Amino acid sequence: SSPSLRAAAMAAGPPPLEPSRLPVFSEEGFGEKFLRKTRENPLVPLGCLCTVGVLTYGLISFKRGNIRRSQQMMRARVLAQGFTFAALLGGMVVTAMKSRK
C-alpha cells in the first residue's frame, strides 16, 4: 500500500461501526469448575463415588479372604463403571442438545 492511500484512509476517520467488545471471562479455578460440572450432571460424581466405594469394599473383602464377596464386588464395580459411563454420555448428549437451541 502506498503512503498516499494510507494518508487518505486515515483522513477519512474511524470506520463507521465500532467493533463489538469481546466478552471478558474470569479465570475459573478447579473448585468452581468441579461444582459447575457437578450441578450440570450430578450422576457422574455419584457414579464415581459408587465405583470407588464398591472397589474399596471388594479389596477389603479380598484381603480378609472372603473371595465370594470380593468377586461380587468386582462385578458390582463393573456395573457402577457402566452407570458412570452412561451418565457421562447422557450428559454430553443433553449439553449438545442445549447448545443447538
Side-chain angles (χ1 to χ4, degrees):
S1 67
S2 67
S4 62
L5 287 175
R6 193 175 312 159
M10 290 175 71
L17 295 175
E18 188 176 309
S20 63
R21 294 193 175 259
L22 295 175
V24 178
F25 296 104
S26 63
E27 282 294 317
E28 185 178 38
F30 175 78
E32 292 94 15
K33 185 174 183 177
F34 180 78
L35 288 175
R36 179 175 56 83
K37 293 286 188 178
T38 300
R39 276 186 235 111
E40 288 174 6
N41 192 356
L43 295 179
V44 173
L46 180 67
C48 290
L49 286 174
C50 287
T51 301
V52 169
V54 169
L55 175 65
T56 303
Y57 186 58
L59 291 173
I60 290 169
S61 297
F62 181 74
K63 185 177 180 186
R64 290 181 179 168
N66 191 345
I67 303 302
R68 182 177 169 90
R69 176 67 55 169
S70 175
Q71 282 294 314
Q72 288 174 340
M73 290 300 105
M74 291 305 114
R75 290 183 187 123
R77 176 192 55 85
V78 171
L79 290 174
Q81 281 179 299
F83 171 80
T84 305
F85 184 71
L88 185 63
L89 250 128
M92 290 171 57
V93 168
V94 168
T95 302
M97 298 298 267
K98 282 182 182 178
S99 67
R100 283 188 171 184
K101 290 182 180 179

